[in-house]
Amino acid sequence: MITVRIPTPLRPMTGGKSEVEGTGASIGELIEQLNAAHPGLKDRICDEQGEIRRFINIYLNEEDIRFLTGKDTPVKDGDEVSIVPAIAGGGHD
Amino acid sequence: MDFTEDQIERYSRQIILEQVGGKGQQKLSRAKVLVIGAGGLGSPIALYLGAAGIGTIGLIDGDVVDLSNLQRQVLHTTPHVGVHKVESGRRLLEALNPDVRVQTYQEHISAENIMTLLPDYDLVLDGSDNFGTRFLVNDACFFAKKPLISGSIFRFEGQLATIKPHEGYPCYRCLYPEPPPAGLVPSCQEAGVLGVLAGTIGILQANEAVKEILEIGDTLADRLLIYDALEMKFRSVGRPKDPRCPLCSANPTITVLEEHHVSCSV
């Protein structure tokens, strides 16, 4: 199993869970599998073309997959994947 | 610069630190920092940098103090509800430490004013509340070659990074190439934020700024710090320089300052 850390903005889709388990041989497969278990998650992570949105980063064990092989980056049991979107609040409003 | 006896006493607890000393205190006293936003992050930033004896603190914010701000914006007090935030901030900072020169700009930061402000400062701390400003400040600091300490918060989560592309480190766009399109993002008002979280992240920004000025320690120049206040977890992830960065790579697509208009968070 692959442990996936879910950021605050996406937790409504995982029933409030900050961590879920997933499977797949690549990041792309993992996203598909996560979406099957938590519908709507993929739309938040990927754009209409299925590419990972440019204000969302996915880390495989602390490394940004954009600097590996993107969605094709291989994953294996025991890996930790983190989804980290840009946040902008400064506590003003 | 010679310190008075009062100043030596005021800063004694940090002057006795080997990494600070009299020379470090002089660096702090000569430093000029610009704080973008006198809100949740800007408040602890300004208070701690003011207390530490930073020579000049610039505060830019166009808003007035609202009662709902006081849960986290500790630079402002109840009698200052209705007063411009930069003026309210100036009064508290001057009361805290008369050594600090407080410059106030009662306006929102924009593509028009930012490039005229930056030359007067050594370092910028971003405590803004929207993506448009965050990307604008990143781009402007890149063009002006100013180090930027970026902090942001959302509900129970915070992010922090030191941005110094002019020294070979990644910029904010190396981390996130583009802001999210409007519509995908709820406003901060809808999202809510834990007041203490603003303090935590703002104080960590101030800590990074002090180290940058003193040139000590390890900074977040090539890492992103992620804090989850609910789980009480700090994590840091690698933040490489993007060879295809639209701003700071060898072949940039952004060559002039442009403004985006998007709001709070994903």
Side-chain angles (χ1 to χ4, degrees):
Chain A
M1 285 303 231
I2 297 148
T3 305
V4 185
R5 295 195 51 84
I6 305 293
T8 313
L10 302 187
R11 284 182 201 165
M13 261 141 261
T14 59
K17 281 190 198 151
S18 61
E19 226 171 72
V20 298
E21 303 259 279
T23 54
S26 66
I27 293 288
E29 286 183 22
L30 176 67
I31 292 172
E32 294 297 339
Q33 190 272 325
L34 285 176
N35 193 57
H38 311 282
L41 207 54
K42 186 184 174 188
D43 278 355
R44 298 293 295 271
I45 299 171
C46 300
D47 62 19
E48 292 74 15
Q49 285 75 44
E51 295 304 317
I52 295 163
R53 295 178 186 277
R54 285 164 68 76
F55 52 89
I56 293 183
N57 289 344
I58 297 182
Y59 295 88
L60 170 61
N61 309 322
E62 328 267 287
E63 267 194 279
D64 188 338
I65 61 153
R66 264 195 303 136
F67 299 92
L68 300 171
T69 45
K71 279 171 69 183
D72 297 331
T73 303
V75 289
K76 58 179 190 315
D77 270 7
D79 277 341
E80 187 176 298
V81 170
S82 304
I83 303 166
V84 182
I87 54 174
H92 276 245
D93 290 348
Chain B
M1 183 194 307
D2 289 328
F3 291 110
T4 64
E5 274 181 37
D6 272 359
Q7 286 172 322
I8 291 169
E9 187 177 346
R10 177 185 285 267
Y11 306 119
S12 59
R13 298 302 191 277
Q14 62 196 43
I15 288 176
I16 59 169
L17 293 170
E18 188 193 329
Q19 293 84 345
V20 183
K23 278 190 182 163
Q25 192 60 48
Q26 282 194 343
K27 286 184 185 173
L28 295 173
S29 303
R30 287 181 185 138
K32 299 172 192 158
V33 308
L34 178 63
V35 182
I36 316 268
L41 295 172
S43 287
I45 289 170
L47 284 173
Y48 272 89
L49 292 184
I54 295 289
T56 302
I57 296 180
L59 289 177
I60 178 161
D61 199 311
D63 289 340
V64 297
V65 179
D66 186 86
L67 189 59
S68 69
N69 298 152
L70 301 183
Q71 161 255 16
R72 65 202 175 282
Q73 301 184 14
V74 293
L75 192 56
H76 314 297
T77 56
T78 309
H80 285 176
V81 169
V83 175
H84 272 276
K85 285 187 181 175
V86 291
E87 175 57 20
S88 163
R90 188 184 62 76
R91 289 186 212 167
L92 192 54
L93 286 174
E94 286 177 355
L96 171 67
N97 188 351
D99 293 344
V100 180
R101 197 165 135 259
V102 184
Q103 290 282 6
T104 58
Y105 310 95
Q106 196 178 297
E107 55 195 315
H108 292 291
I109 198 104
S110 68
E112 285 73 46
N113 61 24
I114 191 164
M115 292 312 280
T116 60
L117 291 176
L118 291 184
D120 293 337
Y121 293 92
D122 308 315
L123 182 138
V124 179
L125 293 113
D126 190 1
S128 65
D129 63 351
N130 65 84
F131 282 111
T133 304
R134 270 178 201 284
F135 280 81
L136 174 73
V137 170
N138 172 69
D139 297 358
C141 285
F142 168 74
F143 290 125
K145 298 186 166 57
K146 302 289 178 181
L148 164 67
I149 319 285
S150 175
S152 57
I153 52 176
F154 180 76
R155 289 187 184 148
F156 295 96
E157 214 160 296
Q159 293 183 5
L160 185 73
T162 293
I163 314 270
K164 303 195 282 185
H166 53 284
E167 291 184 24
Y169 293 101
C171 77
Y172 189 72
R173 285 185 190 268
C174 292
L175 176 66
Y176 297 115
E178 283 169 19
L184 268 178
V185 290
S187 77
C188 300
Q189 245 169 331
E190 291 169 53
V193 69
L194 189 68
V196 181
L197 173 65
T200 310
I201 296 297
I203 284 169
L204 290 174
Q205 283 180 272
N207 186 55
E208 285 290 284
V210 167
K211 278 157 47 192
E212 202 61 46
I213 293 161
L214 295 175
E215 301 170 283
I216 59 168
D218 290 327
T219 69
L220 290 169
D222 56 2
R223 284 180 291 152
L224 171 73
L225 185 79
I226 303 161
Y227 171 54
D228 186 323
L230 273 187
E231 299 194 338
M232 202 56 214
K233 274 186 188 155
F234 283 93
R235 291 183 299 134
S236 80
V237 291
R239 199 161 55 83
K241 198 167 171 71
D242 186 351
R244 288 167 302 175
C245 176
L247 182 71
C248 76
S249 68
N251 298 299
T253 53
I254 300 165
T255 51
V256 289
L257 204 57
E258 48 185 299
E259 208 160 345
H260 304 265
H261 293 282
V262 264
S263 101
C264 184
S265 183
V266 185

